[in-house]
Amino acid sequence: ATTISALNGTDPITLTKQSAAKAWINFNGTGTASIRDSINVASLVDRGTGLYTVNYTSSMSSADYSSTGSCADNATDATARNRMVTPSTLTASASYANTFHTGGVADDVQLVCVSIHGDLA
């Protein structure tokens, strides 16, 4: 099978009570932040150096869900590869992704990935 659909045979299935990620995003956080690929993401807002808001297409059932992330730069300098992303300010419809040098300084990062697990509304 190449397609999974609802019982009517045409609508996509809705993952409301399963363990699959309910949203994820892969984006470039440098220059003009841009989404490379995503699922259930309506938009990405660049709020300043290393500060991003990920807005969901379909909201979560509450702000009590799990947000995890990873990030990296394509730099040749070993110190430029020490980056981290932290999720914060979770709401049912959006979350923040903040990127830093491991020393704690906010920094725009070339590759940022965030995954959301929980229940959709």
Side-chain angles (χ1 to χ4, degrees), residues 11-116:
D11 292 336
I13 61 169
T14 302
L15 299 175
T16 56
K17 298 293 180 191
Q18 298 178 15
S19 297
K22 301 310 184 299
W24 62 263
I25 185 171
N26 173 324
F27 68 92
N28 181 346
T30 61
T32 301
S34 59
I35 299 172
R36 290 187 183 96
D37 201 0
S38 68
I39 288 187
N40 193 29
V41 173
S43 63
L44 174 69
V45 178
D46 187 341
R47 300 183 343 267
T49 301
L51 304 172
Y52 313 94
T53 301
V54 178
N55 294 298
Y56 308 129
T57 304
S58 297
S59 293
M60 303 300 289
S61 63
S62 73
D64 298 324
Y65 55 87
S66 173
S67 176
T68 58
S70 61
C71 63
D73 270 336
N74 293 330
T76 56
D77 177 350
T79 61
R81 288 181 255 148
N82 298 327
R83 304 291 186 261
M84 62 185 186
V85 60
T86 59
S88 65
T89 314
L90 304 177
T91 70
S93 61
S95 65
Y96 286 176
N98 305 320
T99 56
F100 302 89
H101 291 272
T102 52
V105 177
D107 188 31
D108 287 344
V109 178
Q110 293 172 343
L111 174 62
V112 184
C113 300
V114 176
S115 179
I116 305 301

